[in-house]
Amino acid sequence: MVSQQQSLRDRQVVSIEKILNLNHPAPETSASQHEPPTTNGHTPKATPILNSDGDPIWKVLVFDDLGRDVISSVLRVNDLRGWGVTIHLHINSQRHQIPDVPVLYLVEPTATNLQLIASDLSRNLYSDAYINFLYSISRPLMEDFAAQVATSGTSEGIAQVYDQYLNFIVGEPDLFSLAMGKETYWALNSAQTADDVLDSMIDRIVTGLFSVVVTMGAIPIIRCPKGGAAEMIATKLDRKLRDHILNSKDNLFSNQGQRPSTATGTSTSRPVLVILDRSVDLIPMLSHSWTYQSLVHDVLKMHLNRITVETLIDESNPTKGTTKKSYDLNSNDFFWSRNAGVPFPQVAEDIDTELTKYKEDANDITRKTGASSLEDLQNDTSASAHHLKAAITLLPELRERKAILDMHMNIATALLKGIKDRQLDNYYQIEENITKQSKVQMLELLNDEAKGKEPLDKLRLFIIWFLSTEQDVSRTDMERFEEALTRAGADITALNYVKRVREITRMTMMTSAPTQPAPASTSNEIFRGFSSIGNRLTDRLKDGALGANFENLISGVKNFLPANKDLTVTKITESIMDPASASSSAIAKTENYLYFDPRSANARGSMPAASQVRNQQAGMPGGMAPGAGASFGQRRQGFSEAIVFTVGGGSMDEYGNLQDWAKRTGGGGAGGAVGAPRRRVVYGSTDLVNAEDFVMGELARLGRESG
């Protein structure tokens, strides 16, 4: 029996809860090793430590921007209260004295934060200070902080100082970002970025990846293409891991009991960390997707698992207008956990199924108790005590289910409006077969005024075609395309840069045919799921107002499911994790990837110069300079666990595609070989960037510099 693997989010939650428990380790239980996680996706919690009176130790939590984002992405306010946190404050906010209450700091180890902590100590704002740095503090900063504390004579107020290695944000169970902002790709590829700024960015990435590796609990084999930022990051991370192992008597990887891992120490069971430059494939940053999480990220601009949608003020009276509502898509959301990576038509069907199930459960309770509705249950004394007790026990769960379904109904409605206004179904279908589009067809699409209301969608489509097509695009052809895009209202500044990098990107991209044929579709087909919801929604929502709106929105939206098609990053990952099953073209592209083993005395590369980060030849085949080349055996070594990291921005499409591949080809998957190991892929990036920010922010800025 294979024990269930902990996700990266599970591991980060355990680390944060240990901090909230004043760094007392959670007791190991058999349940956490063999039983599935609880309903909210976390491993079973330990109980908070108690004071001498047997009560939880109440405490204040103080964080900076990164500390807030790290915690809020995995825990809610109720979770914090469960661990005794009565109030949480930003370190830069005006804070008043709360005597006799300890304080937990979760902050970056910066000079500014250390001065603020020293000021808090000197003003006696709290009783004991438990200081937790999100990553390792440098020796000069630590000495400076010690001097400040010694000068003020407040050292007795410090109870603990810990390096925690948590400077990464987990959005989904195995999806993380380093929260480096939406300008990383520009900075890494701009000639205007100074070498010291590049060095600082690279060091921040290395520090973040080191923290991820520590949280995962096993030292990985590192693979990356030669040249560019990926090689510099791999080399520095390799050196940082080596130095830590050699110089720390009790290093962070020496006690696997505290940081559980699937790794056993042998090379085949250790994970592989694949570091890739974003330029290896730009298309996932631009493409229109058809999965729920990708549509939410693209259309509704999801950030840190929070989205804002417009909903009707009064569903019974649409003339009253709309209001904006914010929703958090967190780990306790059963519907999101099950449907995030699912094609949108299936999501619509599942909403309908869950609404039907909810209505049946609610009717069953009211029928047994004799109440007319759930709201009347608490006031009804005629029902039998047995049935009433059972009903009241189920009420909180039913209400939570209803709130989640209402939220997803509002999200689906907002997505459908975006799909219809921008004709995203058409764009997605065209992009599925983008290489079959001729220059004449592409020009007609750009000139078609009926193709959606958003000019950026046409620009994205054209860039995808331009990067994918095998046809020769002359200067005259390009002028025609640019004129058509300009007439459509698109800002074509980004094309100046795209034209420069086209040939390089085309050499590293790997197009692939679908692993299964896409279902046939015609222009007048309508989603099965959407139509079923529209037909049966009226009796579920008050006066049918939202149901009628939904019915109106779905008319004309096409019904098709995406084919299984592996993206470039997925094919690279497959060629490294499972070379026996990978295509020869994928293996040829990764044949000369560098190989680093921080535990080995031999597999170590030389440090490239900072200016090499801008080398546009990153990821090109051939050209083995002095470094750590992989032997034949190392190139054919398989892995069951991988961390895939893209430098310069990440895509929800790539995350979903990697998860689909891991499920499909791993043990128990539909396409997995008999006896194949269960696969797990963690995907990370400098930051998750949606298409609008990537094109209009980073590519356009590089285009202005290239112009």
Side-chain angles (χ1 to χ4, degrees):
M1 179 177 176
V2 179
S3 61
Q4 178 162 330
Q5 294 178 335
Q6 280 189 313
S7 68
L8 181 62
R9 180 167 62 193
D10 293 335
R11 294 172 184 274
Q12 192 184 53
V13 167
V14 169
S15 298
I16 293 173
E17 288 178 343
K18 183 179 175 183
I19 294 171
L20 299 177
N21 214 22
L22 305 182
N23 288 300
H24 286 250
E28 291 291 332
T29 63
S30 59
S32 64
Q33 297 298 320
H34 301 291
E35 293 181 5
T38 53
T39 53
N40 65 358
H42 301 162
T43 49
K45 291 183 178 180
T47 54
I49 57 173
L50 308 176
N51 59 22
S52 56
D53 297 325
D55 298 320
I57 296 178
W58 303 111
K59 54 194 83 82
V60 176
L61 174 64
V62 176
F63 42 58
D64 58 5
D65 288 343
L66 184 57
R68 174 198 61 209
D69 293 345
V70 167
I71 290 179
S72 64
S73 63
V74 293
L75 295 179
R76 297 169 297 166
V77 173
N78 287 343
D79 298 318
L80 295 178
R81 286 178 183 158
W83 288 93
V85 175
T86 55
I87 188 172
H88 48 89
L89 301 164
H90 196 282
I91 194 167
N92 290 320
S93 65
Q94 185 177 0
R95 290 173 285 118
H96 303 285
Q97 189 176 34
I98 309 178
D100 303 325
V101 176
V103 59
L104 287 173
Y105 291 97
L106 185 62
V107 296
E108 293 186 80
T110 64
T112 302
N113 285 342
L114 293 173
Q115 288 174 1
L116 290 170
I117 294 172
S119 173
D120 291 351
L121 291 168
S122 64
R123 291 187 293 152
N124 292 317
L125 289 189
Y126 315 103
S127 59
D128 295 325
Y130 295 80
I131 303 171
N132 298 275
F133 296 122
L134 286 164
Y135 51 90
S136 181
I137 185 172
S138 66
R139 187 178 183 88
L141 277 176
M142 192 65 196
E143 290 175 349
D144 184 56
F145 178 60
Q148 293 180 56
V149 172
T151 301
S152 60
T154 55
S155 60
E156 291 184 358
I158 300 176
Q160 293 176 352
V161 179
Y162 273 85
D163 292 331
Q164 292 294 351
Y165 306 100
L166 288 172
N167 55 319
F168 58 94
I169 294 171
V170 180
E172 294 292 321
D174 284 316
L175 171 70
F176 73 92
S177 80
L178 302 185
M180 293 182 63
K182 304 186 188 307
E183 294 186 344
T184 312
Y185 183 80
W186 165 79
L188 291 171
N189 291 279
S190 172
Q192 297 181 6
T193 309
D195 282 359
D196 59 334
V197 175
L198 283 174
D199 271 333
S200 177
M201 291 182 69
I202 297 298
D203 288 342
R204 184 174 171 185
I205 294 170
V206 169
T207 302
L209 285 176
F210 183 83
S211 294
V212 171
V213 169
V214 169
T215 304
M216 294 283 286
I219 297 175
I221 304 294
I222 305 172
R223 301 295 304 274
C224 73
K226 178 69 180 174
E231 183 190 356
M232 176 172 277
I233 292 164
T235 306
K236 285 193 170 185
L237 179 60
D238 173 66
R239 183 164 296 181
K240 187 177 181 73
L241 286 167
R242 287 172 183 274
D243 290 345
H244 175 75
I245 296 168
L246 291 172
N247 300 330
S248 303
K249 185 177 180 181
D250 184 20
N251 70 67
L252 295 164
F253 304 94
S254 61
N255 190 344
Q256 295 295 333
Q258 290 184 355
R259 297 181 184 273
S261 171
T262 56
T264 61
T266 60
S267 60
T268 52
S269 64
R270 289 165 58 190
V272 60
L273 169 59
V274 184
I275 304 176
L276 301 169
D277 291 296
R278 180 66 272 167
S279 295
V280 75
D281 186 12
L282 295 179
I283 287 178
M285 304 297 291
L286 310 166
S287 59
H288 298 87
S289 180
W290 210 229
T291 61
Y292 194 26
Q293 62 188 2
S294 293
L295 279 168
V296 167
H297 194 245
D298 184 12
V299 178
L300 302 181
K301 309 293 187 289
M302 181 170 68
H303 180 62
L304 295 176
N305 285 27
R306 168 162 283 212
I307 58 174
T308 302
V309 300
E310 286 191 356
T311 60
L312 292 171
I313 294 174
D314 185 351
E315 292 175 357
S316 62
N317 186 3
T319 58
K320 289 187 178 180
T322 60
T323 184
K324 290 188 176 181
K325 279 188 179 179
S326 293
Y327 296 117
D328 290 310
L329 297 169
N330 51 41
S331 58
N332 74 316
D333 184 336
F334 74 94
F335 191 87
W336 179 255
S337 298
R338 192 168 68 213
N339 288 289
V342 170
F344 202 29
Q346 295 177 14
V347 175
E349 290 183 349
D350 201 34
I351 290 178
D352 182 63
T353 302
E354 287 296 332
L355 282 170
T356 301
K357 184 179 176 185
Y358 165 79
K359 188 177 180 182
E360 290 172 351
D361 291 347
N363 287 340
D364 185 53
I365 290 176
T366 56
R367 185 174 61 253
K368 287 179 179 178
T369 58
S372 59
S373 68
L374 293 179
E375 287 72 20
D376 294 337
L377 271 176
Q378 292 179 338
N379 302 321
D380 192 341
T381 57
S382 62
S384 69
H386 174 73
H387 285 148
L388 192 59
K389 181 180 179 181
I392 291 175
T393 303
L394 291 171
L395 273 177
E397 187 269 339
L398 278 173
R399 284 176 177 155
E400 184 176 1
R401 271 171 60 192
K402 182 63 164 61
I404 288 173
L405 292 174
D406 285 346
M407 175 182 74
H408 284 283
M409 183 61 75
N410 288 332
I411 292 171
T413 303
L415 287 179
L416 278 167
K417 188 175 186 304
I419 289 169
K420 190 170 183 182
D421 288 348
R422 294 167 54 185
Q423 294 193 22
L424 299 182
D425 51 339
N426 280 318
Y427 283 107
Y428 175 76
Q429 199 169 25
I430 293 168
E431 289 168 15
E432 281 280 274
N433 300 289
I434 193 68
T435 55
K436 296 180 180 178
Q437 302 294 319
S438 67
K439 289 187 282 188
V440 173
Q441 288 173 312
M442 184 54 56
L443 196 58
E444 288 176 355
L445 284 168
L446 299 181
N447 284 319
D448 188 350
E449 295 181 1
K451 283 287 184 284
K453 300 178 180 178
E454 178 52 65
L456 178 61
D457 291 320
K458 289 186 177 181
L459 179 61
R460 288 163 60 181
L461 177 69
F462 172 72
I463 295 175
I464 292 170
W465 175 81
F466 183 59
L467 293 175
S468 306
T469 185
E470 298 293 333
Q471 303 168 62
D472 180 56
V473 182
S474 66
R475 179 175 294 183
T476 304
D477 292 332
M478 182 56 73
E479 288 174 356
R480 290 197 190 102
F481 289 129
E482 291 177 352
E483 287 172 7
L485 286 166
T486 303
R487 280 196 303 272
D491 181 351
I492 61 171
T493 312
L495 293 181
N496 293 330
Y497 178 75
V498 173
K499 285 184 282 189
R500 263 184 52 202
V501 301
R502 182 190 186 214
E503 291 307 316
I504 298 161
T505 302
R506 279 160 53 85
M507 292 189 72
T508 54
M509 282 168 49
M510 286 179 259
T511 57
S512 65
T515 55
Q516 65 181 34
S521 62
T522 59
S523 60
N524 61 356
E525 281 182 303
I526 299 177
F527 281 130
R528 295 186 307 276
F530 296 161
S531 58
S532 66
I533 287 181
N535 292 337
R536 289 181 280 175
L537 208 65
T538 307
D539 63 338
R540 293 188 175 88
L541 301 169
K542 190 174 181 181
D543 296 334
L546 184 54
N549 188 35
F550 216 76
E551 178 80 28
N552 180 55
L553 284 169
I554 64 173
S555 59
V557 180
K558 293 182 181 177
N559 173 30
F560 56 84
L561 299 178
N564 288 331
K565 187 167 68 173
D566 293 336
L567 300 176
T568 295
V569 168
T570 304
K571 291 189 116 6
I572 289 172
T573 304
E574 180 182 39
S575 70
I576 292 173
M577 288 186 73
D578 187 16
S581 302
S583 66
S584 57
S585 60
I587 290 177
K589 297 267 175 98
T590 59
E591 192 84 348
N592 291 322
Y593 272 32
L594 300 181
Y595 184 102
F596 299 85
D597 183 356
R599 286 196 182 279
S600 167
N602 300 320
R604 181 175 187 172
S606 56
M607 189 71 70
S611 58
Q612 193 172 328
V613 168
R614 299 190 195 88
N615 181 4
Q616 292 297 334
Q617 302 301 314
M620 296 276 287
M624 281 294 294
S631 67
F632 179 82
Q634 290 167 341
R635 291 197 300 268
R636 295 297 180 265
Q637 171 186 338
F639 299 89
S640 60
E641 189 173 5
I643 307 167
V644 180
F645 185 81
T646 55
V647 184
S651 158
M652 274 291 189
D653 271 6
E654 283 179 335
Y655 170 65
N657 198 248
L658 283 165
Q659 300 309 310
D660 288 345
W661 171 81
K663 290 175 185 174
R664 189 176 72 244
T665 63
V674 177
R678 298 182 69 178
R679 291 202 174 95
R680 177 181 168 212
V681 180
V682 176
Y683 177 77
S685 63
T686 46
D687 213 330
L688 286 170
V689 185
N690 64 40
E692 182 178 350
D693 291 328
F694 189 71
V695 176
M696 303 312 297
E698 303 195 83
L699 294 186
R701 192 170 180 183
L702 289 166
R704 283 191 289 274
E705 295 175 11
S706 304

